[in-house]
Amino acid sequence: MTTTKKRAPSMSVDLYSDENLMNPYPVYDEIRELGPVVYLEDLDMYVSARYDAVRTILTRSDVFVSYEGVMMNDPMNEALKGIVLCTDGDEHAAMRKVLAKPVMPKELRSVRPEVEAEAETLADRLVAKGRFDAATELAQHLPLTIVSKLVGLPEEGRQRMMIWAEANFQCFGPMNARTEAAFPVLEEMVGYALNQCVRGKLVPGGWAERLHDAAEAGEIPMEKASLMALDYLGPSLDTTIFGIGNAVWLFANNPDQWAKLREQPTLIPQAINEVLRLESPIQGFSRYTKEEFEIEDVTIPKDARVIVLYGAGNRDGRKFPEPEKFDIMRESVADHLAFGHGEHACVGMNLARLEMSAILKSLCPRVEGFEVHETERNIINVLRGFSKIDISVH
């Protein structure tokens, strides 16, 4: 007896158009309703938007591999082969172990007082001001001060970090105009790593310097130490900045939820999970199929690229009832996929949580409510967040 393999349903849509990046959720709904995995004719790739399917793909790293790259274009995948994000198995585990040491909960305990004190000072200043840009003046402050100091990168070129970080994530997308424009900027960032993130130019004892210590101890290849310093940019810059901005925007638009949080600040970890679920800073990466695989009743062929939409899985009503509602009391919200899942889950998640928590903790006793005047979204291939949130606090 033979069984018939069911091909994935297909659709024609530019997932990375300006319009769909500004508001991706209607397209996510369409993809989700078509099936667990859908073939995108325009990109010649597959895409998954259902929670269970996304989680399965992220769990099965033996089938859905990262060593062929996790981006949606070949030049970037080829250029970044061998970095932490684009490796699997023992090689990935060895580099990840070294990279993660400074951002594990135990180590972050020692920097928590400094981060929280800086957040308190920032909140005092901005609340006294009354009206400010939450996307820049608030959300960028901790990543660009405290965290940059902890990483210990040289001062030279540091002012370009925000530009580099955005270009990096633009290059994760398909080969569209945004991606092409970002490649020269990304080359500048790599040049900075190779020429500046070296012994003698790094802050002694900083996270980047510790990568060179690990290389000399034989824990990671010597040639990877400088480039791995840039792996701290992802968790310390755009993604966290967008997470903080998204949180303020959500609470401004849901004053009842802000009132709940002010009454019970112990809900801050839960609230952060709900913010990340509803407005995931990273909307999705991709994987490559090492072999044929069936999800539910749909077969994904070998040697296919599958876009894994964290932001869509997090809004799947099969997992989260009333998925578009912002509810900091939501059950099972800790199961969100905003940090990915499995062996490639975000290395910097604990650092991001610390920064978001410090900001919310400092605002709770000082701010009764927010009023948004104007917003502008950043249009980045795989990220979701604001470039401007003009806001008043009361």
Side-chain angles (χ1 to χ4, degrees), residues 333-351:
V333 71
D335 293 340
H336 70 80
L337 301 167
F339 290 125
H341 181 68
E343 67 178 53
H344 281 276
C346 176
V347 171
M349 69 173 77
N350 298 309
L351 176 61

Side-chain angles (χ1 to χ4, degrees), residues 214-236:
E216 289 180 1
E219 296 173 38
I220 56 173
M222 188 68 73
E223 68 274 11
K224 292 191 177 182
S226 292
L227 272 178
M228 281 176 67
L230 297 180
D231 287 316
Y232 289 121
L233 283 181
S236 70

Side-chain angles (χ1 to χ4, degrees), residues 239-261:
T239 50
T240 305
I241 289 166
F242 284 171
I244 294 169
N246 291 344
V248 172
W249 180 74
L250 284 168
F251 279 117
N253 286 287
N254 297 272
D256 61 317
Q257 298 300 301
W258 181 245
K260 280 183 187 177
L261 194 65

Side-chain angles (χ1 to χ4, degrees), residues 79-369:
L80 294 187
K81 273 189 178 178
I83 68 167
V84 178
L85 199 60
C86 301
T87 51
D88 293 291
D90 293 342
E91 182 184 14
H92 171 77
M95 288 193 292
R96 182 185 174 91
K97 182 179 178 182
V98 169
L99 192 68
K101 277 180 184 176
V103 291
M104 296 302 285
K106 185 178 178 181
E107 290 235 12
L108 287 176
R109 271 190 224 117
S110 63
V111 303
R112 179 182 292 275
E114 185 181 2
V115 172
E116 292 185 343
E118 188 68 25
E120 295 280 327
T121 302
L122 175 66
D124 277 339
R125 177 166 56 81
L126 293 180
V127 170
K129 190 176 177 183
R131 182 169 176 171
F132 54 89
D133 184 349
T136 56
E137 295 176 83
L138 178 70
Q140 290 183 6
H141 184 80
L142 290 181
L144 287 177
T145 53
I146 297 283
V147 178
S148 290
K149 187 176 79 172
L150 292 171
V151 176
L153 298 180
E155 289 291 337
E156 184 181 338
R158 239 168 156 179
Q159 70 280 3
R160 298 280 291 165
M161 280 186 191
M162 287 297 298
I163 297 167
W164 292 338
E166 178 175 323
N168 176 54
F169 285 110
Q170 292 288 24
C171 291
F172 275 59
M175 194 55 76
N176 56 24
R178 267 180 249 101
T179 302
E180 290 178 359
F183 266 112
V185 184
L186 191 65
E187 288 175 9
E188 181 190 329
M189 182 177 82
V190 172
Y192 170 83
L194 296 177
N195 295 306
Q196 299 296 324
C197 298
V198 295
R199 290 282 197 197
K201 293 186 177 181
L202 296 169
V203 177
W207 296 352
E209 176 89 344
R210 288 167 65 173
L211 295 173
H212 288 274
D213 295 340
E216 289 180 1
E219 296 173 38
I220 56 173
M222 188 68 73
E223 68 274 11
K224 292 191 177 182
S226 292
L227 272 178
M228 281 176 67
L230 297 180
D231 287 316
Y232 289 121
L233 283 181
S236 70
L237 290 179
D238 280 46
T239 50
T240 305
I241 289 166
F242 284 171
I244 294 169
N246 291 344
V248 172
W249 180 74
L250 284 168
F251 279 117
N253 286 287
N254 297 272
D256 61 317
Q257 298 300 301
W258 181 245
K260 280 183 187 177
L261 194 65
R262 294 191 75 216
E263 289 169 12
Q264 300 182 67
T266 54
L267 289 172
I268 285 175
Q270 171 97 354
I272 289 171
N273 281 332
E274 178 67 347
V275 167
L276 295 170
R277 180 198 69 81
L278 192 60
E279 288 288 331
S280 307
I282 295 177
Q283 289 288 295
F285 291 158
S286 77
R287 296 290 190 271
Y288 194 81
T289 53
K290 185 180 175 182
E291 58 190 62
E292 186 181 272
F293 193 83
E294 188 174 292
I295 294 183
E296 294 180 31
D297 58 347
V298 173
T299 301
I300 308 170
K302 181 177 181 287
D303 298 326
R305 186 157 294 281
V306 184
I307 300 169
V308 194
L309 292 174
Y310 311 158
N314 282 336
R315 284 181 172 236
D316 187 349
R318 297 166 183 82
K319 171 66 178 178
F320 302 106
E322 296 183 276
E324 295 177 5
K325 182 180 178 182
F326 181 54
D327 178 9
I328 65 172
M329 305 296 289
R330 183 182 295 277
E331 294 181 8
S332 302
V333 71
D335 293 340
H336 70 80
L337 301 167
F339 290 125
H341 181 68
E343 67 178 53
H344 281 276
C346 176
V347 171
M349 69 173 77
N350 298 309
L351 176 61
R353 288 186 190 280
L354 171 58
E355 294 175 82
M356 291 181 72
S357 176
I359 292 292
L360 292 176
K361 187 178 175 183
S362 67
L363 292 176
C364 270
R366 293 172 172 84
V367 177
E368 192 172 306

Side-chain angles (χ1 to χ4, degrees), residues 14-22 176 178 379:
D14 183 357
L15 199 59
Y16 297 94
S17 68
D18 286 6
E19 180 185 4
N20 284 331
L21 288 177
M22 287 285 285
N176 56 24
R178 267 180 249 101
I379 302 180

